[in-house]
Amino acid sequence: MADHTSRAHAFLTASGSVRWLACTPSAKLEAEFPDTRSEAAAEGTLSHEICEIKARQRFFKKGEAGYIAKSVATRELNKLRKDPLYQDEMEDHTDTYVEELDLQALGFQERPYIALETRLDLSDWIPGGFGTADCIMVGGDKLLVADFKYGKGVRVDAENNTQMQLYALGAWKKFSLVYDIKRITMVIIQPRLSVNPSIWEIAIEDLISFGSYAGERAAMAINGEGDYNPGEDQCRFCRARERCRARADYNIQMAFGDIVGKLPPLITDEEVGEYLTKGEDVAKWLKDLQDYALSACLAGTDIPGYKAVEGRGSRDWTDQDAAFKALQAAGIPETMMYERKALTLAALEKVVGKKAFGETVGEFIKMKPGKPALVKASDKRPAITNIPSVEEAFAGVTE
Ligand code: SF4
């Protein structure tokens, strides 16, 4: 089984490429800060381990490399299910991953060659670089690289995704001697955020020219050359994001930039859009500063004008069973102490099972529209308005 925990420790990682490609000196600056693994990253690792076992069960038959016997898979899965970070919902999400891979395999003219958890040599583009692709499929002139994302904070798009393009380059290098690859498809499966994967295709010529660009930027990043280039995408997970001066200057300029000349008393809708876009990273930057300042204060460092205090506490039982017994003994009826509540639709479906649930109560389920939400214009969902259409406006009107 692949070692998911120690996957990427190169100086320039494919997963961090969005950062060092856009802001080349960030790699050296980040090296000054410890690489603290978050709980979310550990959850991601665990879910990847489950994905790998399920995918191996689905795609490899006895005698094939990658095959895993049912008893071994069950034992390994049971071990993973004992992990404190394991959640029941991981089963559904990892199943979705394998089902999507199945669908993607059907998109090939013949059954493709499938490789799971493949270490890729990226050194043609990044000195000493390597990466591990979750799944690679290759057949005819088509190469497919798929990646599972367990996070639900930020939707990761396959389009122009630099990590995926670097993996695709590594996969192309690995398989191009045997396959005449011309088309590359990248698939990101992020089931906690969307049932639909994000898919993007690129021609081999365009991928190769991305590789040349990445190679030039990597050489600069290794030497700490180039200008700091703050921006929402590259700063989001940068380890220097709280203390980076370039980011601080950029956000101060965004928030308090010069006002030139006398302007009308009301801001325009164009300005509303502009400020929302500009303000997004300012808000994140302030939150990062607060997080940093809190840990600094807790560590005894003086941050002028601030201090750490204990937040508002809440009451909790020392022994809930004993307390409830005492209440009952005092004559409080059990019906007052417990409430009978219907499970939510999603929770009930989980308990009953998708198929049986749909067959039994499918006819009683309707889609309720979600609350209107403001998103960026690049979001894939169609725009909505509450202006009635011509048909709605004239509904019921007769001459
Ligand atoms: S915080 Fe942003 S600008 Fe600063 S080094 Fe990191 S990526 Fe570059």
Side-chain angles (χ1 to χ4, degrees):
M1 215 84 63
D3 179 0
H4 294 258
T5 316
S6 58
R7 269 176 147 210
H9 286 299
F11 179 64
L12 298 179
T13 61
S15 57
S17 57
V18 69
R19 202 150 47 250
W20 55 260
L21 281 169
C23 177
T24 46
S26 64
K28 275 207 154 171
L29 194 64
E30 271 200 289
E32 294 181 26
F33 296 85
D35 185 4
T36 43
R37 252 172 73 82
S38 67
E39 188 162 289
E43 264 180 14
T45 303
L46 177 65
S47 58
H48 271 85
E49 284 168 332
I50 298 174
C51 279
E52 185 191 350
I53 297 171
K54 289 185 175 179
R56 283 174 62 174
Q57 279 190 289
R58 176 72 65 101
F59 293 114
F60 302 123
K61 295 193 182 71
K62 198 169 182 178
E64 290 180 334
Y67 166 78
I68 186 167
K70 198 170 173 210
S71 57
V72 179
T74 310
R75 195 176 60 232
E76 293 294 328
L77 285 172
N78 285 341
K79 229 193 279 170
L80 296 172
R81 286 173 184 137
K82 289 200 180 96
D83 190 297
L85 292 176
Y86 173 80
Q87 308 135 0
D88 287 342
E89 65 170 313
M90 277 183 185
E91 299 298 339
D92 279 352
H93 299 318
T94 49
D95 285 348
T96 303
Y97 167 73
V98 179
E99 279 158 23
E100 186 55 45
L101 292 185
D102 231 358
L103 271 179
Q104 293 298 331
L106 291 174
F108 284 75
Q109 284 190 336
E110 286 171 14
R111 187 184 187 269
Y113 172 80
I114 298 177
L116 300 172
E117 295 299 327
T118 310
R119 188 177 159 107
L120 299 168
D121 174 15
L122 306 179
S123 59
D124 283 4
W125 304 277
I126 307 172
F130 60 88
T132 306
D134 292 342
C135 178
I136 295 168
M137 296 184 193
V138 55
D141 66 352
K142 178 174 168 180
L143 169 75
L144 182 142
V145 183
D147 199 42
F148 176 74
K149 303 269 183 216
Y150 193 66
K152 61 174 182 178
V154 182
R155 172 94 207 248
V156 187
D157 212 334
E159 192 171 340
N160 287 316
N161 186 297
T162 57
Q163 177 186 10
M164 294 301 280
Q165 288 179 84
L166 285 168
Y167 285 170
L169 282 166
W172 169 68
K173 181 180 171 182
K174 193 175 182 82
F175 293 105
S176 57
L177 277 181
V178 182
Y179 295 89
D180 183 18
I181 297 164
K182 294 200 169 71
R183 300 175 295 138
I184 292 112
T185 303
M186 296 165 211
V187 182
I188 295 183
I189 302 149
Q190 197 174 10
R192 290 170 95 193
L193 279 187
S194 171
V195 284
N196 299 316
S198 173
I199 301 175
W200 190 57
E201 285 203 16
I202 187 173
I204 186 63
E205 302 77 31
D206 295 330
L207 184 70
I208 291 171
S209 64
F210 165 79
S212 310
Y213 164 74
E216 284 164 23
R217 302 293 286 178
M220 290 170 73
I222 288 213
N223 295 321
E225 294 165 1
D227 292 329
Y228 288 101
N229 175 27
E232 198 186 334
D233 289 342
Q234 56 269 37
C235 296
R236 183 179 292 127
F237 297 119
C238 179
R239 295 206 297 272
R241 66 185 179 277
E242 294 153 341
R243 306 266 314 278
C244 171
R245 182 171 301 281
R247 187 180 182 217
D249 290 349
Y250 170 79
N251 281 298
I252 290 165
Q253 175 63 29
M254 284 288 179
F256 313 111
D258 302 337
I259 308 292
V260 186
K262 188 161 166 49
L263 296 171
L266 297 178
I267 60 169
T268 64
D269 287 346
E270 282 70 30
E271 286 170 294
V272 170
E274 187 191 330
Y275 292 150
L276 280 172
T277 307
K278 285 180 169 177
E280 215 159 294
D281 197 47
V282 176
K284 285 196 189 106
W285 172 64
L286 280 176
K287 175 78 182 59
D288 286 337
L289 278 191
Q290 284 168 345
D291 292 346
Y292 168 75
L294 176 61
S295 26
C297 287
L298 287 172
T301 306
D302 183 32
I303 300 287
Y306 287 86
K307 64 182 177 185
V309 294
E310 198 171 295
R312 204 183 147 92
S314 62
R315 296 183 301 166
D316 200 3
W317 299 113
T318 52
D319 184 340
Q320 187 176 357
D321 289 344
F324 274 48
K325 269 186 200 146
L327 285 166
Q328 264 179 300
I332 308 294
E334 218 178 276
T335 47
M336 277 178 74
M337 293 191 282
Y338 296 93
E339 58 176 347
R340 188 162 169 257
K341 241 169 100 181
L343 288 182
T344 62
L345 191 151
L348 202 50
E349 184 183 50
K350 211 167 198 177
V351 181
V352 177
K354 240 182 196 157
K355 197 159 171 266
F357 187 74
E359 285 166 2
T360 318
V361 291
E363 60 180 306
F364 301 113
I365 299 171
K366 64 169 183 183
M367 266 319 272
K368 276 203 306 192
K371 254 171 83 179
L374 184 70
V375 296
K376 287 200 171 154
S378 55
D379 190 282
K380 297 264 163 36
R381 286 166 288 180
I384 57 166
T385 71
N386 50 16
I387 303 171
S389 64
V390 178
E391 293 77 29
E392 285 164 344
F394 290 99
V397 177
T398 47
E399 282 187 27

